[in-house]
Amino acid sequence: MQWETVIGLEIHAQLATKTKIFSSATTTYGAEPNTQACSVDLGLPGVLPVLNQEVVRMAVKFGMAIEAEVADYSVFARKNYFYPDLPKGYQISQMDHPIVGIGHMDIEVDGETIRVGVTRAHLEEDAGKSLHEDFHGLTGIDLNRAGTPLLEIVSEPDMRSAKEAVAYMRKIHELVQYLDICDGNMQEGSFRCDANVSIRPKGQAEYGTRTELKNINSFKFVEKAINIEVERQIDIIEAGGRIIQETRLYDADKNETRSMRSKEEANDYRYFPDPDLLPVYISEELRAEVKADLPELPHIKRQRFIDTYQLDAETAATLSSSKELADYFEALVKASGCDTKICSNWVTVELLGALNKQGVDIKQSPVSHTRLAGLLARIADNTISGKIAKQVFAAMLESNDSADTIIDAQGLKQITDSGAIEAIIDKIIADNPNQVEQYLSGKDKVFGFFVGQTMKASQGKANPGEVNKILKEKLKQ
């Protein structure tokens, strides 16, 4: 039997506010445990939550960016359940009246554009964190994260493969960073997702029983977790078993999913409107302010890069994959005045290659756009060759020196004097009579040998254009 996979994602994006959603406690990551949770976050008697207005603005911004319905009126509710890291016994969230309603996100997979529906996006507070390491059979509780603002983005079950799920998650990840509403740091848990996965016979309209894979915080693990869960479900059904609706944990070390608990339905949480928080009304003034503050969105920037800079679609997609990278590229083009193709090549190949090796992103680049522009200028005015430029760039990664300083200090200026190049070529021709004979007998590929020997003899400093020109003249003689 052929099976079809059905996937929906619930993405938790931590909103980039300085303080929590209902209190003035800070949201700084990495502080000592239980140093950033106030009486409101702990739900102590006699305190009341006060909504952080900035989270409303951020949620509206996201809703507008995905062309969603932004509700005029939304309500906070209490979602009741007991976990050790939720001392109040309930989480403040939204249920019947979320702030963002139906929207969509288009993704590209294997050259095809697929529209994924967004069911809703609602505001809620995060819980604390249970700590198991270093407690020798006990569990520690860190409530620093309690009350941190989250935007939970719930998709329709529109994805049919792990590849599509990853593409959708990447698109949301890219968007929230462009909007500057989430730092997207997955290692610190600022961006994570739950994946709802089921299978059904191909062609069947009815959905199968789904399982929920909880708290996955990397694109690689999302793909692996979904694929392994699909295999597990197929094996069970084909062996005559049935899928149990439950929440499962993905174990990356063993590449397996395992049961955490049975999956609760909404009525298990006994949602009811939070009596301590007033409904939220979105005014026309706020809508207008947020709309005016919307940045150029990734897909629009991508098309502009193609139209303005004559880039191919793949390069434009790479350069617009983050706002910081796109800004870097445009600043480089402006500062260097060089051809956009040269600028894009240096950013996508040399710079990103070096950053990947160092395990950092463009925000931590050791080479600023102005320093790189200085290097490209020396290529453009023939001070150095492209090959030598890579040597200079490697030195720039290790120091704060400019390209000019490194070129002067290492004596890397290009040899453009035709007399000096002729002298080198004359010696190489004299030392290699067999290769000369082969070239003259019609073996044109040998020409590359002479170019290589000349560049080697000049330590890569001979002007390649002059070398080719002089070689052709000399080999005819």
Side-chain angles (χ1 to χ4, degrees):
M1 177 177 291
Q2 283 192 312
W3 297 97
E4 182 176 58
T5 303
V6 178
I7 303 164
L9 296 187
E10 297 172 14
I11 292 175
H12 290 85
Q14 180 179 318
L15 297 176
T17 56
K18 293 180 180 176
T19 58
K20 296 184 177 177
I21 185 169
F22 299 119
S23 80
S24 58
T26 63
T27 56
T28 307
Y29 178 82
E32 283 293 313
N34 297 312
T35 59
Q36 302 193 124
C38 69
S39 54
V40 174
D41 307 321
L42 272 58
L44 296 182
V47 296
L48 293 173
V50 177
L51 179 61
N52 183 337
Q53 293 185 25
E54 192 57 26
V55 304
V56 175
R57 181 182 294 273
M58 289 180 173
V60 172
K61 203 172 188 181
F62 176 80
M64 287 184 173
I66 63 166
E67 300 177 16
E69 299 169 3
V70 176
D72 293 333
Y73 161 90
S74 66
V75 175
F76 284 100
R78 290 187 179 182
K79 180 181 180 182
N80 296 274
Y81 61 97
F82 174 77
Y83 282 153
D85 52 19
L86 187 66
K88 291 187 294 191
Y90 62 86
Q91 176 187 26
I92 303 177
S93 181
Q94 294 186 311
M95 179 60 183
D96 293 330
H97 301 284
I99 191 165
V100 176
I102 294 173
H104 65 265
M105 176 63 76
D106 291 337
I107 60 173
E108 290 78 37
V109 178
D110 297 331
E112 182 184 358
T113 300
I114 299 168
R115 174 154 292 187
V116 178
V118 173
T119 312
R120 56 187 278 152
H122 60 261
L123 290 165
E124 65 181 24
E125 61 178 345
D126 207 346
K129 188 175 181 182
S130 296
L131 306 173
H132 305 291
E133 296 180 357
D134 303 325
F135 286 93
H136 308 293
L138 302 175
T139 297
I141 302 295
D142 178 7
L143 294 172
N144 280 355
R145 205 174 67 182
T148 299
L150 299 177
L151 185 66
E152 181 171 336
I153 305 157
V154 183
S155 83
E156 291 289 307
D158 288 343
M159 290 157 277
R160 295 293 173 266
S161 69
K163 197 172 183 180
E164 291 181 11
V166 171
Y168 169 77
M169 191 177 175
R170 284 189 184 278
K171 265 295 189 68
I172 297 287
H173 185 253
E174 176 188 77
L175 178 62
V176 295
Q177 290 182 90
Y178 256 83
L179 296 174
D180 202 23
I181 63 172
C182 172
D183 65 17
N185 192 319
M186 300 175 82
Q187 289 183 325
E188 294 178 0
S190 300
F191 190 88
R192 57 189 193 266
C193 87
D194 303 337
N196 290 295
V197 181
S198 66
I199 60 168
R200 62 184 175 186
K202 205 166 183 63
Q204 177 179 300
E206 183 184 354
Y207 292 133
T209 303
R210 65 186 166 90
T211 58
E212 181 184 50
L213 306 176
K214 199 74 177 169
N215 280 335
I216 313 174
N217 64 347
S218 97
F219 299 120
K220 181 173 74 174
F221 289 164
V222 165
E223 185 164 15
K224 284 187 169 185
I226 290 173
N227 283 333
I228 204 72
E229 177 60 14
V230 169
E231 286 180 22
R232 187 189 73 86
Q233 292 189 15
I234 291 174
D235 289 344
I236 290 174
I237 293 176
E238 291 188 342
R242 67 183 183 86
I243 303 302
I244 300 168
Q245 183 168 321
E246 62 182 349
T247 299
R248 297 181 69 81
L249 169 73
Y250 174 64
D251 186 329
D253 293 331
K254 296 180 179 176
N255 194 31
E256 66 177 23
T257 67
R258 58 172 180 267
S259 181
M260 290 174 66
R261 58 180 182 269
S262 61
K263 174 65 180 171
E264 298 90 342
E265 297 290 351
N267 56 12
D268 294 326
Y269 290 118
R270 295 173 290 117
Y271 279 97
F272 63 87
D274 192 305
D276 293 335
L277 286 162
L278 294 171
V280 176
Y281 293 92
I282 306 296
S283 67
E284 287 305 316
E285 289 78 11
L286 177 60
R287 287 174 187 272
E289 282 177 24
V290 173
K291 189 173 183 179
D293 193 38
L294 276 179
E296 182 181 39
L297 297 177
H299 66 284
I300 296 174
K301 190 184 289 289
R302 199 162 293 138
Q303 189 57 50
R304 181 170 63 80
F305 277 14
I306 293 172
D307 296 338
T308 306
Y309 301 120
Q310 310 302 310
L311 302 178
D312 60 73
E314 185 179 354
T315 302
T318 300
L319 290 172
S320 60
S321 60
S322 81
K323 186 174 181 299
E324 290 78 11
L325 182 58
D327 289 346
Y328 185 104
F329 167 69
E330 293 207 274
L332 177 64
V333 170
K334 187 175 180 181
S336 70
C338 290
D339 181 81
T340 55
K341 182 70 176 173
I342 293 172
C343 292
S344 66
N345 280 343
W346 270 88
V347 173
T348 57
V349 179
E350 303 301 333
L351 180 63
L352 290 185
L355 297 184
N356 284 337
K357 281 183 183 175
Q358 294 184 4
V360 299
D361 63 25
I362 191 68
K363 286 177 278 190
Q364 291 95 40
S365 173
V367 179
S368 68
H369 73 272
T370 52
R371 290 177 70 214
L372 185 54
L375 175 62
L376 299 191
R378 295 292 80 80
I379 301 172
D381 66 11
N382 284 325
T383 300
I384 55 173
S385 66
K387 185 176 180 181
I388 291 294
K390 293 179 182 178
Q391 185 179 333
V392 176
F393 180 68
M396 292 170 73
L397 290 169
E398 303 297 328
S399 74
N400 290 321
D401 292 336
S402 68
D404 285 340
T405 300
I406 294 168
I407 291 167
D408 289 341
Q410 299 188 17
L412 297 175
K413 283 186 179 175
Q414 194 163 235
I415 301 172
T416 54
D417 179 85
S418 57
I421 296 174
E422 275 189 43
I424 295 171
I425 289 175
D426 286 342
K427 183 173 188 312
I428 289 170
I429 288 176
D431 290 346
N432 297 280
N434 292 336
Q435 283 78 3
V436 173
E437 189 176 331
Q438 288 173 28
Y439 178 76
L440 294 176
S441 68
K443 292 184 178 179
D444 294 340
K445 290 183 178 177
V446 182
F447 187 80
F449 164 80
F450 289 106
V451 173
Q453 290 298 308
T454 306
M455 297 308 292
K456 183 179 178 183
S458 68
Q459 297 179 314
K461 292 188 282 186
N463 181 291
E466 285 294 308
V467 169
N468 277 276
K469 178 184 164 189
I470 296 171
L471 261 175
K472 284 177 183 174
E473 292 171 355
K474 292 281 182 182
L475 287 171
K476 286 179 184 173
Q477 299 172 4

